[in-house]
Amino acid sequence: MTEMIPAWVNGTLTPVEKLEAHIKGLRHKAISVFLMRGDKVLLQRRAMGKYHTPGLWANTCCTHPHWDEASLDCATRRLNQELGLEDVTLRFRDTVEYRADVGGGLIEHEVVDIFVGDLAEGHEPVPNPDEVMDTIWTPLPNLIEEVATKPAGFTPWLQIYLRDHVSVIFQTA
């Protein structure tokens, strides 16, 4: 089944096949989720079967909404599909835009609604191996330092979020 995502074509939001949007570098909608436990952030390592950025560490969850799917509904759906997590209360933080080369001739040009939630002790992710090969809880200060000093192990969007948007996402001073 072809996955249609909301992308702008000649200034109009239009359903576009996901891979086509990335090949053409079309500006398109996306969501990103950061789950927290105190000062720790839940990261996922993308499965090796992913069509771009396989094996790289990313934020808790990210994807593209289906055509006509609300961002919060998409974030909730994807937390369940990727990490088996349900009943997580998410808070909208901001909408950010970025453009990044993700390799293989593909471009992510995303308008991203960012959500943050808290995951209580004892409520652990159960990764879907088709999507996620590993998860880890990392203290935010350590993550920021590691992404800055060893960026090659992290997705381009996580690098951008932590370089340009950390104060908005994590509401730090």
Side-chain angles (χ1 to χ4, degrees), residues 72-164:
L72 180 58
D73 294 341
C74 175
T76 301
R77 171 180 60 81
R78 246 356 233 184
L79 275 176
N80 188 9
Q81 289 175 338
E82 292 187 16
L83 298 166
L85 295 171
E86 297 179 322
D87 302 321
V88 177
T89 300
L90 297 175
R91 300 176 301 282
F92 173 77
R93 277 293 195 256
D94 200 3
T95 300
V96 302
E97 183 172 343
Y98 76 88
R99 183 178 175 90
D101 182 336
V102 293
L106 303 176
I107 300 290
E108 284 284 16
H109 185 179
E110 296 192 329
V111 177
V112 187
D113 285 340
I114 297 177
F115 297 90
V116 175
D118 298 304
L119 197 62
E121 287 284 342
H123 194 169
E124 296 302 328
V126 180
N128 172 348
D130 292 335
E131 300 287 341
V132 178
M133 62 188 294
D134 200 3
T135 61
I136 190 170
W137 287 100
T138 304
L140 180 59
N142 298 28
L143 176 61
I144 292 168
E145 182 179 338
E146 190 169 353
V147 169
T149 58
K150 300 175 192 168
F154 300 91
T155 60
W157 59 90
L158 184 60
Q159 295 175 46
I160 292 167
Y161 294 156
L162 295 179
R163 183 187 69 224
D164 300 341

Coordinates of all heavy atoms in Angstrom, one line a residue, residues 72-164:
L72 N -1.4 15.2 16.8 CA -1.5 14.4 18.1 C -1.9 13.0 17.9 O -1.3 12.1 18.5 CB -2.4 15.2 19.1 CG -2.5 14.5 20.5 CD1 -1.1 14.4 21.1 CD2 -3.5 15.3 21.3
D73 N -2.9 12.8 17.0 CA -3.3 11.4 16.7 C -2.2 10.6 16.1 O -2.0 9.4 16.4 CB -4.5 11.4 15.8 CG -5.8 12.0 16.4 OD1 -5.9 12.1 17.7 OD2 -6.7 12.4 15.7
C74 N -1.4 11.2 15.2 CA -0.3 10.6 14.6 C 0.8 10.2 15.6 O 1.3 9.1 15.6 CB 0.3 11.5 13.5 SG 1.8 10.9 12.7
A75 N 1.1 11.2 16.5 CA 2.1 10.9 17.5 C 1.7 9.8 18.4 O 2.5 8.9 18.7 CB 2.4 12.2 18.3
T76 N 0.5 9.7 18.8 CA -0.1 8.7 19.7 C 0.0 7.3 19.0 O 0.4 6.3 19.5 CB -1.5 9.0 20.1 OG1 -1.5 10.3 20.8 CG2 -2.1 7.9 21.0
R77 N -0.4 7.3 17.7 CA -0.4 6.1 16.9 C 1.0 5.5 16.8 O 1.3 4.4 16.9 CB -1.0 6.4 15.5 CG -0.9 5.2 14.5 CD -1.5 5.6 13.2 NE -0.9 6.8 12.5 CZ 0.2 6.8 11.8 NH1 0.9 5.7 11.6 NH2 0.6 7.9 11.2
R78 N 1.9 6.4 16.5 CA 3.3 6.0 16.2 C 4.0 5.5 17.5 O 4.8 4.6 17.4 CB 4.1 7.1 15.6 CG 4.5 7.0 14.2 CD 4.3 5.7 13.5 NE 5.5 5.2 13.0 CZ 5.7 4.1 12.2 NH1 4.7 3.4 11.9 NH2 6.9 3.8 11.8
L79 N 3.7 6.1 18.6 CA 4.3 5.6 19.9 C 3.9 4.2 20.1 O 4.7 3.3 20.5 CB 3.9 6.4 21.0 CG 4.7 7.7 21.3 CD1 4.0 8.5 22.5 CD2 6.1 7.4 21.7
N80 N 2.7 3.8 19.8 CA 2.2 2.5 19.9 C 2.8 1.6 18.8 O 3.3 0.5 19.2 CB 0.7 2.4 19.8 CG 0.1 1.1 20.1 OD1 0.8 0.2 20.6 ND2 -1.2 0.9 19.9
Q81 N 2.9 2.0 17.6 CA 3.4 1.1 16.5 C 4.9 0.9 16.6 O 5.4 -0.2 16.4 CB 3.1 1.8 15.2 CG 1.7 1.8 14.8 CD 1.4 2.5 13.5 OE1 2.2 3.4 13.1 NE2 0.3 2.2 12.8
E82 N 5.7 1.9 17.0 CA 7.1 1.8 17.1 C 7.6 1.2 18.4 O 8.5 0.4 18.4 CB 7.8 3.1 16.9 CG 7.7 3.6 15.5 CD 8.5 4.9 15.2 OE1 9.4 5.2 16.0 OE2 8.2 5.5 14.2
L83 N 6.9 1.6 19.5 CA 7.4 1.3 20.8 C 6.4 0.6 21.8 O 6.8 0.3 22.9 CB 8.0 2.5 21.5 CG 9.1 3.2 20.8 CD1 9.3 4.6 21.3 CD2 10.4 2.4 20.9
G84 N 5.3 0.2 21.3 CA 4.3 -0.5 22.1 C 3.8 0.3 23.3 O 3.3 -0.2 24.2
L85 N 3.9 1.7 23.2 CA 3.5 2.5 24.3 C 2.1 3.1 24.1 O 1.8 3.7 23.0 CB 4.5 3.6 24.5 CG 5.9 3.2 24.9 CD1 6.8 4.4 24.8 CD2 5.9 2.6 26.3
E86 N 1.2 2.9 25.1 CA -0.1 3.5 25.0 C -0.4 4.3 26.2 O 0.3 4.3 27.2 CB -1.2 2.3 25.0 CG -1.0 1.4 23.8 CD -2.0 0.3 23.8 OE1 -2.3 -0.3 24.9 OE2 -2.6 0.0 22.7
D87 N -1.4 5.1 26.1 CA -1.9 6.0 27.3 C -0.8 6.9 27.8 O -0.6 7.1 29.0 CB -2.4 5.1 28.4 CG -3.5 4.2 27.9 OD1 -4.4 4.7 27.2 OD2 -3.6 3.1 28.4
V88 N 0.0 7.5 26.9 CA 1.0 8.5 27.2 C 0.4 9.8 26.9 O 0.0 10.1 25.8 CB 2.4 8.3 26.5 CG1 3.4 9.3 26.8 CG2 2.9 6.9 26.7
T89 N 0.4 10.7 27.9 CA -0.1 12.1 27.7 C 1.0 12.9 27.1 O 2.1 13.0 27.6 CB -0.5 12.7 29.0 OG1 -1.6 11.9 29.6 CG2 -1.0 14.1 28.8
L90 N 0.7 13.4 25.9 CA 1.7 14.3 25.2 C 1.3 15.7 25.2 O 0.1 16.1 25.1 CB 1.8 13.8 23.7 CG 2.2 12.3 23.5 CD1 2.1 12.0 22.0 CD2 3.7 12.2 24.0
R91 N 2.3 16.6 25.3 CA 2.1 18.0 25.3 C 2.8 18.6 24.1 O 3.9 18.3 23.8 CB 2.7 18.6 26.6 CG 2.1 18.1 27.9 CD 2.8 18.7 29.1 NE 4.3 18.4 29.2 CZ 4.8 17.2 29.6 NH1 4.0 16.2 29.9 NH2 6.1 17.1 29.7
F92 N 2.0 19.4 23.3 CA 2.5 20.1 22.2 C 3.6 21.1 22.6 O 3.3 21.9 23.6 CB 1.4 20.8 21.4 CG 1.9 21.6 20.2 CD1 2.4 21.0 19.1 CD2 2.0 23.0 20.4 CE1 2.8 21.8 18.0 CE2 2.4 23.8 19.3 CZ 2.8 23.2 18.1
R93 N 4.7 21.2 22.0 CA 5.8 22.1 22.4 C 5.9 23.3 21.3 O 5.9 24.4 21.7 CB 7.1 21.5 22.5 CG 7.4 20.8 23.8 CD 7.5 21.9 24.9 NE 8.0 21.3 26.1 CZ 7.3 20.9 27.1 NH1 6.1 21.1 27.2 NH2 7.9 20.3 28.2
D94 N 6.0 22.9 20.1 CA 6.2 23.9 19.0 C 6.2 23.2 17.7 O 6.2 22.0 17.6 CB 7.6 24.6 19.2 CG 7.7 25.9 18.6 OD1 6.7 26.4 18.0 OD2 8.8 26.5 18.6
T95 N 6.1 24.1 16.6 CA 6.3 23.6 15.3 C 7.6 24.2 14.8 O 7.8 25.4 14.9 CB 5.1 24.1 14.4 OG1 3.9 23.6 14.9 CG2 5.3 23.6 12.9
V96 N 8.5 23.4 14.3 CA 9.8 23.8 13.7 C 9.9 23.3 12.3 O 9.3 22.3 11.9 CB 11.0 23.4 14.6 CG1 10.8 23.9 16.0 CG2 11.1 21.9 14.6
E97 N 10.7 24.0 11.5 CA 11.0 23.5 10.2 C 12.5 23.3 10.0 O 13.3 24.1 10.5 CB 10.5 24.6 9.2 CG 10.6 24.2 7.7 CD 9.9 25.1 6.8 OE1 9.1 25.9 7.2 OE2 10.3 25.1 5.6
Y98 N 12.8 22.3 9.2 CA 14.2 22.0 8.9 C 14.3 21.3 7.6 O 13.3 20.8 7.1 CB 14.9 21.2 10.0 CG 14.6 19.8 10.0 CD1 15.3 18.9 9.2 CD2 13.5 19.2 10.7 CE1 15.0 17.5 9.1 CE2 13.2 17.9 10.6 CZ 13.9 17.0 9.9 OH 13.6 15.7 9.8
R99 N 15.5 21.4 7.0 CA 15.8 20.7 5.7 C 17.1 20.0 5.9 O 18.1 20.6 6.3 CB 15.8 21.7 4.6 CG 16.0 21.0 3.2 CD 16.0 22.1 2.1 NE 16.3 21.5 0.8 CZ 15.5 21.0 0.0 NH1 14.2 21.0 0.2 NH2 15.9 20.4 -1.2
A100 N 17.2 18.7 5.6 CA 18.4 17.9 5.8 C 18.5 16.8 4.8 O 17.6 16.1 4.5 CB 18.4 17.3 7.3
D101 N 19.8 16.6 4.4 CA 20.1 15.5 3.5 C 20.2 14.3 4.4 O 20.9 14.3 5.4 CB 21.4 15.8 2.8 CG 21.9 14.7 1.9 OD1 21.4 13.5 2.0 OD2 22.7 15.0 1.0
V102 N 19.4 13.2 4.1 CA 19.4 12.0 5.0 C 20.1 10.8 4.2 O 20.0 9.7 4.7 CB 18.0 11.6 5.5 CG1 17.5 12.7 6.4 CG2 17.0 11.4 4.3
G103 N 20.8 11.1 3.2 CA 21.6 10.1 2.4 C 20.7 9.4 1.4 O 19.5 9.5 1.4
G104 N 21.4 8.7 0.5 CA 20.7 8.0 -0.6 C 19.9 8.8 -1.5 O 19.0 8.4 -2.1
G105 N 20.3 10.1 -1.7 CA 19.6 11.0 -2.5 C 18.2 11.5 -2.0 O 17.4 12.0 -2.7
L106 N 18.0 11.3 -0.7 CA 16.8 11.7 0.0 C 16.9 12.9 0.8 O 18.0 13.1 1.5 CB 16.2 10.5 0.8 CG 16.0 9.2 0.0 CD1 15.6 8.1 1.0 CD2 15.0 9.4 -1.1
I107 N 15.9 13.8 0.8 CA 15.9 15.0 1.6 C 14.7 15.0 2.5 O 13.6 14.7 2.1 CB 15.8 16.2 0.7 CG1 17.0 16.3 -0.3 CG2 15.7 17.5 1.5 CD1 18.3 16.6 0.3
E108 N 14.9 15.3 3.8 CA 13.8 15.6 4.7 C 13.7 17.1 4.8 O 14.6 17.8 5.2 CB 14.1 15.0 6.1 CG 14.0 13.5 6.3 CD 12.5 13.0 6.4 OE1 11.6 13.8 6.0 OE2 12.4 11.9 6.8
H109 N 12.5 17.6 4.3 CA 12.2 19.0 4.5 C 10.9 19.1 5.2 O 9.8 19.0 4.6 CB 12.1 19.7 3.1 CG 11.9 21.2 3.2 ND1 11.8 22.0 2.2 CD2 11.7 22.0 4.3 CE1 11.6 23.3 2.6 NE2 11.5 23.3 3.9
E110 N 11.0 19.1 6.5 CA 9.9 18.9 7.4 C 9.4 20.1 8.1 O 10.2 20.9 8.6 CB 10.2 17.8 8.4 CG 10.4 16.4 7.7 CD 10.5 15.3 8.7 OE1 10.9 15.5 9.9 OE2 10.1 14.2 8.3
V111 N 8.1 20.2 8.3 CA 7.4 21.1 9.2 C 6.9 20.2 10.3 O 5.9 19.4 10.1 CB 6.3 21.9 8.5 CG1 5.5 22.8 9.4 CG2 6.8 22.6 7.3
V112 N 7.6 20.3 11.4 CA 7.4 19.3 12.5 C 6.7 19.8 13.7 O 7.1 20.8 14.3 CB 8.8 18.8 13.0 CG1 8.6 17.6 13.9 CG2 9.7 18.4 11.8
D113 N 5.6 19.1 14.1 CA 4.9 19.4 15.4 C 5.6 18.5 16.4 O 5.7 17.3 16.3 CB 3.5 19.0 15.3 CG 2.6 20.1 14.5 OD1 3.1 21.2 14.3 OD2 1.5 19.7 14.1
I114 N 6.2 19.2 17.4 CA 7.0 18.5 18.4 C 6.1 18.3 19.7 O 5.5 19.2 20.2 CB 8.3 19.2 18.7 CG1 9.1 19.3 17.5 CG2 9.0 18.6 19.9 CD1 10.4 20.0 17.6
F115 N 6.1 17.1 20.2 CA 5.4 16.7 21.4 C 6.4 16.2 22.5 O 7.4 15.5 22.1 CB 4.4 15.7 21.1 CG 3.3 16.1 20.2 CD1 3.4 16.0 18.8 CD2 2.2 16.8 20.7 CE1 2.5 16.4 18.0 CE2 1.2 17.2 19.8 CZ 1.3 17.1 18.4
V116 N 6.1 16.4 23.8 CA 6.9 15.9 24.9 C 5.9 15.2 25.8 O 4.8 15.7 26.0 CB 7.6 17.0 25.6 CG1 8.4 16.5 26.8 CG2 8.6 17.7 24.6
G117 N 6.4 14.1 26.4 CA 5.6 13.4 27.4 C 6.5 12.8 28.5 O 7.7 12.7 28.3
D118 N 5.9 12.4 29.6 CA 6.6 11.7 30.7 C 6.2 10.3 30.7 O 5.0 9.9 30.6 CB 6.3 12.4 32.0 CG 6.7 13.9 32.0 OD1 7.9 14.2 31.7 OD2 5.8 14.8 32.2
L119 N 7.2 9.4 30.9 CA 7.0 8.0 31.0 C 7.4 7.5 32.4 O 8.6 7.7 32.7 CB 7.8 7.2 29.9 CG 7.3 5.8 29.6 CD1 5.9 5.8 29.1 CD2 8.2 5.1 28.6
A120 N 6.5 7.0 33.1 CA 6.7 6.6 34.5 C 7.6 5.4 34.6 O 7.6 4.6 33.7 CB 5.4 6.4 35.2
E121 N 8.3 5.3 35.7 CA 9.1 4.1 36.0 C 8.2 2.9 35.9 O 7.0 2.9 36.2 CB 9.6 4.1 37.4 CG 10.8 5.1 37.6 CD 12.1 4.6 37.1 OE1 12.2 3.3 36.8 OE2 13.0 5.4 36.9
G122 N 8.7 1.8 35.3 CA 7.9 0.5 35.2 C 7.1 0.5 33.9 O 6.6 -0.6 33.5
H123 N 7.0 1.6 33.2 CA 6.3 1.6 31.9 C 7.4 1.7 30.8 O 7.9 2.8 30.6 CB 5.4 2.9 31.9 CG 4.4 2.9 30.8 ND1 3.3 3.8 30.7 CD2 4.2 2.1 29.7 CE1 2.6 3.6 29.6 NE2 3.1 2.6 29.0
E124 N 7.7 0.6 30.3 CA 8.9 0.5 29.4 C 8.5 0.2 28.0 O 7.5 -0.4 27.7 CB 9.9 -0.6 29.9 CG 10.5 -0.4 31.2 CD 11.3 1.0 31.3 OE1 11.9 1.4 30.3 OE2 11.3 1.5 32.4
P125 N 9.3 0.8 27.0 CA 9.0 0.5 25.6 C 9.2 -1.0 25.2 O 10.1 -1.6 25.8 CB 9.9 1.4 24.9 CG 11.1 1.7 25.8 CD 10.4 1.6 27.2
V126 N 8.4 -1.4 24.3 CA 8.6 -2.8 23.7 C 8.8 -2.5 22.2 O 7.8 -2.4 21.4 CB 7.4 -3.7 24.0 CG1 7.6 -5.0 23.3 CG2 7.1 -3.8 25.5
P127 N 10.0 -2.3 21.7 CA 10.3 -1.9 20.4 C 9.8 -2.9 19.3 O 9.9 -4.1 19.5 CB 11.8 -1.8 20.3 CG 12.2 -1.6 21.7 CD 11.3 -2.4 22.5
N128 N 9.2 -2.4 18.3 CA 8.8 -3.1 17.1 C 10.1 -3.3 16.3 O 10.7 -2.3 15.8 CB 7.8 -2.4 16.3 CG 7.4 -3.0 14.9 OD1 8.1 -3.9 14.4 ND2 6.4 -2.5 14.3
P129 N 10.6 -4.5 16.1 CA 11.9 -4.7 15.4 C 11.9 -4.3 14.0 O 13.0 -4.0 13.4 CB 12.1 -6.2 15.6 CG 10.8 -6.8 15.8 CD 10.0 -5.8 16.5
D130 N 10.8 -4.1 13.3 CA 10.8 -3.6 12.0 C 11.1 -2.1 12.0 O 11.5 -1.5 10.9 CB 9.4 -3.8 11.3 CG 9.1 -5.2 11.0 OD1 10.1 -6.0 10.9 OD2 7.9 -5.6 11.0
E131 N 10.9 -1.4 13.1 CA 11.1 0.0 13.2 C 12.3 0.4 14.1 O 13.0 1.4 13.8 CB 9.8 0.7 13.8 CG 8.6 0.4 13.0 CD 8.5 1.3 11.8 OE1 9.3 2.2 11.6 OE2 7.7 0.9 10.9
V132 N 12.5 -0.3 15.2 CA 13.4 0.1 16.2 C 14.3 -1.1 16.6 O 13.8 -2.1 17.0 CB 12.7 0.6 17.5 CG1 13.6 1.0 18.6 CG2 11.7 1.7 17.1
M133 N 15.7 -0.9 16.6 CA 16.6 -2.0 17.0 C 17.0 -1.9 18.4 O 17.5 -2.9 19.0 CB 17.7 -2.1 16.0 CG 18.6 -0.9 16.0 SD 19.9 -1.0 14.6 CE 20.9 -2.3 15.1
D134 N 16.9 -0.7 19.0 CA 17.3 -0.5 20.4 C 16.7 0.7 21.0 O 16.3 1.6 20.2 CB 18.8 -0.5 20.5 CG 19.4 -0.8 21.9 OD1 18.6 -1.2 22.8 OD2 20.6 -0.7 22.0
T135 N 16.7 0.8 22.3 CA 16.3 2.0 23.0 C 17.2 2.3 24.2 O 17.9 1.3 24.6 CB 14.8 2.0 23.5 OG1 14.7 0.9 24.5 CG2 13.8 1.8 22.4
I136 N 17.3 3.5 24.6 CA 18.2 3.8 25.7 C 17.6 5.1 26.4 O 17.1 6.0 25.7 CB 19.6 4.0 25.3 CG1 20.6 4.1 26.5 CG2 19.8 5.2 24.4 CD1 22.0 4.0 26.2
W137 N 17.7 5.2 27.7 CA 17.4 6.4 28.4 C 18.8 7.1 28.6 O 19.7 6.6 29.1 CB 16.8 6.1 29.8 CG 15.4 5.6 29.7 CD1 15.0 4.3 29.8 CD2 14.3 6.4 29.6 NE1 13.6 4.3 29.7 CE2 13.1 5.6 29.6 CE3 14.0 7.8 29.5 CZ2 11.8 6.0 29.5 CZ3 12.7 8.3 29.3 CH2 11.6 7.4 29.3
T138 N 18.8 8.4 28.2 CA 20.1 9.2 28.3 C 19.8 10.5 29.0 O 18.9 11.2 28.6 CB 20.6 9.4 26.9 OG1 20.8 8.2 26.2 CG2 21.9 10.2 26.9
P139 N 20.6 10.9 30.0 CA 20.4 12.3 30.5 C 20.6 13.3 29.4 O 21.5 13.3 28.6 CB 21.5 12.4 31.6 CG 21.9 10.9 31.9 CD 21.7 10.2 30.6
L140 N 19.7 14.3 29.4 CA 19.7 15.3 28.4 C 21.1 16.0 28.3 O 21.6 16.2 27.1 CB 18.6 16.4 28.6 CG 18.5 17.5 27.6 CD1 18.3 16.9 26.2 CD2 17.4 18.4 28.0
P141 N 21.7 16.5 29.3 CA 23.0 17.1 29.2 C 24.1 16.2 28.5 O 24.8 16.7 27.6 CB 23.5 17.5 30.6 CG 22.2 17.5 31.4 CD 21.3 16.5 30.7
N142 N 24.1 14.9 28.8 CA 25.0 14.0 28.2 C 24.7 13.8 26.7 O 25.6 13.8 25.8 CB 24.9 12.6 28.8 CG 25.3 12.6 30.3 OD1 25.1 13.6 31.0 ND2 25.8 11.5 30.8
L143 N 23.4 13.8 26.4 CA 22.9 13.6 25.0 C 23.4 14.8 24.1 O 23.9 14.7 23.0 CB 21.4 13.5 24.9 CG 20.8 13.4 23.5 CD1 21.4 12.2 22.7 CD2 19.3 13.3 23.6
I144 N 23.1 16.0 24.7 CA 23.5 17.3 24.0 C 25.0 17.2 23.7 O 25.5 17.5 22.5 CB 23.1 18.5 24.8 CG1 21.6 18.6 24.8 CG2 23.8 19.8 24.2 CD1 21.1 19.6 25.8
E145 N 25.8 16.9 24.7 CA 27.3 16.8 24.5 C 27.7 15.7 23.5 O 28.5 16.0 22.6 CB 28.0 16.5 25.8 CG 29.5 16.5 25.7 CD 30.2 16.3 27.0 OE1 29.6 16.5 28.1 OE2 31.3 15.8 27.0
E146 N 27.1 14.6 23.6 CA 27.5 13.5 22.6 C 27.1 13.8 21.2 O 27.9 13.5 20.3 CB 26.8 12.2 23.1 CG 27.4 11.0 22.3 CD 27.0 9.6 22.8 OE1 26.5 9.5 23.9 OE2 27.4 8.7 22.2
V147 N 25.9 14.4 21.0 CA 25.5 14.7 19.6 C 26.4 15.8 19.1 O 26.8 15.8 17.9 CB 24.0 15.2 19.6 CG1 23.7 15.8 18.3 CG2 23.1 14.0 19.9
A148 N 26.9 16.7 19.9 CA 27.8 17.8 19.5 C 29.2 17.3 19.1 O 29.8 17.7 18.2 CB 27.9 18.9 20.5
T149 N 29.6 16.3 19.9 CA 31.0 15.8 19.7 C 31.1 14.6 18.7 O 32.1 14.3 18.1 CB 31.7 15.4 21.0 OG1 30.9 14.4 21.7 CG2 31.8 16.7 21.9
K150 N 30.0 13.8 18.6 CA 30.0 12.6 17.8 C 28.7 12.5 17.0 O 27.9 11.6 17.1 CB 30.1 11.3 18.7 CG 31.3 11.2 19.5 CD 31.3 10.0 20.4 CE 32.4 10.1 21.5 NZ 32.2 9.1 22.5
P151 N 28.5 13.5 16.1 CA 27.2 13.6 15.4 C 26.9 12.4 14.4 O 25.7 12.2 14.2 CB 27.3 14.9 14.6 CG 28.8 15.2 14.5 CD 29.4 14.6 15.7
A152 N 27.9 11.7 14.0 CA 27.7 10.7 12.9 C 26.8 9.6 13.4 O 26.2 8.9 12.6 CB 29.0 10.1 12.5
G153 N 26.6 9.4 14.7 CA 25.8 8.3 15.2 C 24.3 8.7 15.4 O 23.5 7.8 15.8
F154 N 24.0 9.9 15.1 CA 22.6 10.4 15.3 C 22.0 10.9 14.0 O 22.7 11.4 13.1 CB 22.7 11.6 16.3 CG 23.3 11.1 17.6 CD1 24.6 11.2 17.9 CD2 22.5 10.6 18.6 CE1 25.2 10.8 19.1 CE2 23.0 10.2 19.8 CZ 24.3 10.3 20.1
T155 N 20.7 10.8 14.0 CA 20.0 11.3 12.8 C 20.2 12.8 12.6 O 20.3 13.6 13.6 CB 18.5 11.0 12.9 OG1 17.9 11.7 14.0 CG2 18.2 9.5 12.9
P156 N 20.1 13.3 11.4 CA 20.3 14.7 11.1 C 19.2 15.6 11.9 O 19.6 16.6 12.4 CB 20.1 14.9 9.6 CG 20.5 13.6 9.1 CD 20.1 12.6 10.1
W157 N 18.0 15.1 12.0 CA 17.0 15.9 12.7 C 17.2 16.0 14.2 O 17.0 17.0 14.8 CB 15.6 15.4 12.3 CG 15.3 14.0 12.7 CD1 14.8 13.5 13.9 CD2 15.4 12.9 11.8 NE1 14.6 12.2 13.8 CE2 15.0 11.7 12.6 CE3 15.9 12.7 10.5 CZ2 15.0 10.4 12.0 CZ3 15.9 11.4 10.0 CH2 15.4 10.3 10.7
L158 N 17.7 14.9 14.8 CA 18.1 15.0 16.2 C 19.2 16.0 16.4 O 19.1 16.8 17.4 CB 18.4 13.6 16.8 CG 18.7 13.6 18.3 CD1 17.4 14.1 19.1 CD2 19.1 12.2 18.8
Q159 N 20.2 16.0 15.5 CA 21.2 17.0 15.6 C 20.7 18.4 15.6 O 21.1 19.3 16.3 CB 22.3 16.8 14.5 CG 23.0 15.5 14.6 CD 23.9 15.2 13.4 OE1 24.6 16.1 13.0 NE2 23.8 14.0 12.8
I160 N 19.8 18.7 14.6 CA 19.2 20.0 14.5 C 18.3 20.4 15.7 O 18.4 21.5 16.2 CB 18.3 20.0 13.2 CG1 19.2 19.9 11.9 CG2 17.4 21.3 13.1 CD1 18.5 19.6 10.6
Y161 N 17.5 19.4 16.2 CA 16.7 19.7 17.4 C 17.6 20.1 18.5 O 17.3 21.1 19.2 CB 15.9 18.5 17.8 CG 14.8 18.1 16.8 CD1 14.3 16.8 16.8 CD2 14.2 18.9 15.9 CE1 13.4 16.3 16.0 CE2 13.3 18.5 15.0 CZ 12.8 17.2 15.0 OH 11.9 16.8 14.2
L162 N 18.7 19.4 18.8 CA 19.5 19.7 19.9 C 20.4 20.9 19.8 O 20.8 21.5 20.7 CB 20.3 18.4 20.3 CG 19.5 17.2 20.8 CD1 20.3 16.1 21.1 CD2 18.6 17.6 22.0
R163 N 20.7 21.2 18.5 CA 21.5 22.4 18.3 C 20.7 23.7 18.3 O 21.1 24.7 18.8 CB 22.2 22.3 16.9 CG 23.1 23.4 16.6 CD 23.7 23.3 15.1 NE 22.6 23.6 14.2 CZ 22.4 22.8 13.1 NH1 23.1 21.8 12.8 NH2 21.4 23.1 12.3
D164 N 19.4 23.6 17.7 CA 18.7 24.9 17.4 C 17.4 25.0 18.2 O 16.9 26.1 18.3 CB 18.3 24.9 15.9 CG 19.5 25.0 15.0 OD1 20.6 25.3 15.4 OD2 19.3 24.6 13.8

